[in-house]
Amino acid sequence: IEYCVNILKVLIEYMNLSYVFKKNNETVFSQVKKYISKNISTPLLPKDLCKSLGVSQSTLYKVIKKNTDLSPTEFIRKMKTEKAKSLLVNTSSDVADIAELVGIPDTNYFIRVFKKETGLSPLRYRKQYKQQ
């Protein structure tokens, strides 16, 4: 009986550690999203996130991949595209200004990235979704 009790104690400790690790991953992911949102107007690289949040590149990759199935670079690009989509529909700012607001100062590059992510150019996106 004592042997079984010890096994149960070990299992309980393991389950608690798994819960803490899961919570920690969720916390890191929410911190990643907050950091990107707060700094959306600047060019961001995964190494900037690692440095700011105090996590390794492998931890950053694992946390983002687990939560989104994207790499850190893809996730940053996706968040910037989502912000750009919102600005295109809810403002009358021109494409160059929106590119600056999402931290992509090269308008032509912004247009290529936006089209790759959405399948539409920024102006076409605005025209299609502003009417709805």
Side-chain angles (χ1 to χ4, degrees):
I1 292 176
E2 188 175 322
Y3 181 73
C4 290
V5 168
N6 287 335
I7 289 176
L8 285 174
K9 284 180 182 178
V10 169
L11 286 173
I12 290 170
E13 285 179 32
Y14 174 76
M15 288 172 23
N16 285 337
L17 287 175
S18 295
Y19 177 77
V20 169
F21 181 72
K22 181 179 178 191
K23 280 296 191 191
N24 189 37
N25 274 344
E26 290 170 5
T27 302
V28 170
F29 185 65
S30 67
Q31 289 174 338
V32 166
K33 289 191 305 186
K34 248 186 250 179
Y35 182 84
I36 294 170
S37 293
K38 184 178 175 187
N39 296 284
I40 199 94
S41 64
T42 62
L44 290 172
L45 297 171
K47 69 178 181 176
D48 300 327
L49 294 172
C50 293
K51 185 176 181 182
S52 173
L53 301 174
V55 297
S56 68
Q57 287 185 332
S58 64
T59 297
L60 181 71
Y61 181 87
K62 286 175 191 172
V63 167
I64 292 176
K65 189 73 170 174
K66 181 179 180 193
N67 286 280
T68 66
D69 205 31
L70 300 170
S71 72
T73 302
E74 292 167 333
F75 184 64
I76 292 168
R77 187 171 48 238
K78 182 176 176 67
M79 285 194 67
K80 287 180 177 281
T81 302
E82 291 301 315
K83 179 67 174 177
K85 286 165 51 175
S86 174
L87 291 168
L88 284 164
V89 172
N90 298 311
T91 72
S92 58
S93 300
D94 66 23
V95 172
D97 290 340
I98 290 173
E100 285 279 337
L101 289 170
V102 297
I104 305 174
D106 181 342
T107 305
N108 291 326
Y109 178 68
F110 168 74
I111 292 168
R112 285 194 310 273
V113 167
F114 190 89
K115 190 169 186 176
K116 182 179 179 188
E117 290 288 316
T118 65
L120 300 169
S121 71
L123 291 178
R124 231 183 224 290
Y125 184 89
R126 173 179 272 161
K127 185 177 181 180
Q128 182 172 335
Y129 290 98
K130 201 159 190 148
Q131 293 173 352
Q132 294 179 353

